Amino acid sequence: MKNKITNFLKKHKKNFITFALTNRQFMAFIILSVIETSILGLLTLGPGVWGFKALFFDFSVIVLLGSIGYLFKPKKQYVYFQTVLCIITTIVTINAIYYTFYNSYVTVGLIESLGQVNTVTDAVFDKLTPIHAIYLIFPIVFYLVNRSLKKHNYFNYVTKIEKGKKNFGTVMLIGVILLCMNIITLDGTDISRLVKQWNREYVVERYGILTYQMNDIIQSAQSRLFSYFGYDEAAQKFLEYYNNKDNTTKKNKYTGIFEGKNVVLIHMESLMSMFMNLKINDVEVTPTLNKLAKEGLYFSHFYPQVSVGTSSDTEFTLNT
């Protein structure tokens, strides 16, 4: 893919130079955004992991976002570009700080827990370093670029020659082509991990931080919408069940068997039930667990409730 892109750039070098000179604000936005997302990838995943694939995905998304700027007049494009750049800055800054704590990337669902930050403010500030402030430079640099362009009468010149709708269509088409070039390189594993999004580092390594964050927002919105649409029906079933339920206490063979005793609950993480009572060369694989299972209650029908369940999901299910 790198060779194809290089050949394409060489072939259209003159057109690109002309475009760059007459679209300096747009080019500044693209360059600053790409550099900013690249720095996050290099500082979190490291240069040995983060590379061209993630950069190319981020670049494609940034080009698509930048194309929308051409729907505004040249003098008003700055507000749009700066707003998008500030959003990107916020995304990479939050992820940079979060990665310092957890070696992973933030999800939209965690925004709900921001109110708890005041209880651990000291810990947050202890983890902050000057490197986290590097991302704040980019909106400032873009402001200085805009100021310089104004001083050199750039916008008055561009307003006379720029065809906004044509540029929007052209740049949007380029962004779509770049995105399609990315998509055709994906294999089944790449797509599966994007959909499930349980391995966040891999998703950022393969798709870049912007695609990861957009995918996370979409998945969070989908789960909430589905729960809202099904709420009335679920609530009705719930109420019907408890309104018609026989509230008298029913006894069975397990009733009261632990009364007055200390109860020990053993939860084996990442252990499949197939290993229980399994023998290899007449030797038990899990002799102690087999003994405990016979002495107590053994729950073999236990399944993750959220597709690829994490430890916290399983613990919640177990306690429930």
Side-chain angles (χ1 to χ4, degrees):
M1 183 186 289
K2 288 182 181 179
N3 291 333
K4 289 182 179 179
I5 294 171
T6 303
N7 292 334
F8 179 81
L9 291 174
K10 286 181 179 179
K11 186 177 179 181
H12 298 277
K13 182 179 178 181
K14 187 176 180 180
N15 292 334
F16 280 121
I17 292 173
T18 304
F19 180 86
L21 291 173
T22 54
N23 295 270
R24 296 177 191 178
Q25 185 169 240
F26 171 80
M27 295 301 296
F29 164 76
I30 297 293
I31 292 168
L32 290 172
S33 299
V34 170
I35 293 174
E36 190 169 16
T37 54
S38 300
I39 289 174
L40 176 70
L42 290 169
L43 293 181
T44 53
L45 294 174
V49 177
W50 187 91
F52 179 77
K53 291 179 180 179
L55 184 150
F56 197 39
F57 246 110
D58 275 338
F59 177 66
S60 304
V61 174
I62 290 166
V63 169
L64 286 171
L65 292 173
S67 67
I68 299 172
Y70 284 110
L71 296 178
F72 302 92
K73 296 292 182 182
K75 290 183 179 180
K76 295 183 179 179
Q77 288 173 5
Y78 168 74
V79 176
Y80 170 78
F81 288 135
Q82 184 68 291
T83 301
V84 176
L85 186 60
C86 285
I87 292 172
I88 293 173
T89 299
T90 303
I91 289 171
V92 297
T93 304
I94 291 174
N95 276 283
I97 296 171
Y98 186 82
Y99 197 91
T100 304
F101 280 88
Y102 301 107
N103 288 329
S104 187
Y105 298 94
V106 76
T107 64
V108 175
L110 292 170
I111 295 175
E112 296 176 351
S113 61
L114 282 176
Q116 301 173 19
V117 172
N118 62 335
T119 61
V120 290
T121 304
D122 292 342
V124 173
F125 280 106
D126 285 343
K127 288 283 186 178
L128 290 178
T129 62
I131 199 68
H132 288 126
I134 192 172
Y135 307 105
L136 304 178
I137 295 172
F138 292 91
I140 297 171
V141 171
F142 190 64
Y143 165 76
L144 295 175
V145 169
N146 176 262
R147 189 175 173 181
S148 175
L149 292 175
K150 280 184 177 179
K151 190 179 291 185
H152 291 84
N153 211 28
Y154 167 80
F155 293 106
N156 290 333
Y157 166 70
V158 170
T159 302
K160 298 175 183 177
I161 63 170
E162 183 175 282
K163 297 178 181 179
K165 291 182 179 179
K166 183 180 178 181
N167 283 357
F168 164 72
T170 303
V171 177
M172 176 66 77
L173 179 61
I174 292 172
V176 170
I177 291 171
L178 293 174
L179 199 60
C180 289
M181 290 173 67
N182 276 305
I183 292 172
I184 61 175
T185 64
L186 301 176
D187 56 29
T189 302
D190 295 331
I191 296 169
S192 174
R193 292 188 178 182
L194 178 67
V195 172
K196 295 177 180 178
Q197 194 141 312
W198 63 274
N199 189 338
R200 301 177 201 168
E201 283 191 282
Y202 180 87
V203 175
V204 174
E205 172 193 338
R206 184 64 183 85
Y207 294 91
I209 187 62
L210 298 181
T211 303
Y212 160 78
Q213 209 72 73
M214 290 168 67
N215 182 59
D216 178 60
I217 291 170
I218 292 169
Q219 291 201 23
S220 298
Q222 280 183 335
S223 62
R224 289 182 180 277
L225 285 172
F226 290 153
S227 65
Y228 288 150
F229 288 137
Y231 175 80
D232 290 338
E233 184 181 350
Q236 185 178 355
K237 289 181 179 179
F238 178 86
L239 293 172
E240 285 177 357
Y241 173 80
Y242 278 99
N243 287 335
N244 299 322
K245 186 176 181 295
D246 183 4
N247 291 321
T248 57
T249 303
K250 294 180 180 180
K251 294 185 178 181
N252 56 45
K253 63 180 181 178
Y254 301 110
T255 303
I257 62 172
F258 295 129
E259 187 175 353
K261 296 180 181 180
N262 292 325
V263 180
V264 178
L265 180 65
I266 298 175
H267 172 211
M268 302 300 294
E269 178 160 350
S270 300
L271 178 67
M272 298 177 71
S273 58
M274 61 177 285
F275 295 107
M276 296 290 289
N277 299 312
L278 176 66
K279 289 184 179 181
I280 297 178
N281 295 330
D282 291 326
V283 178
E284 289 183 294
V285 176
T286 57
T288 304
L289 290 178
N290 294 340
K291 183 179 178 182
L292 290 170
K294 291 174 183 177
E295 292 178 357
L297 296 178
Y298 170 53
F299 301 93
S300 58
H301 300 292
F302 195 95
Y303 305 98
Q305 299 298 303
V306 287
S307 182
V308 181
T310 61
S311 299
S312 58
D313 299 319
T314 308
E315 289 163 7
F316 178 77
T317 306
L318 177 69
N319 288 322
T320 302

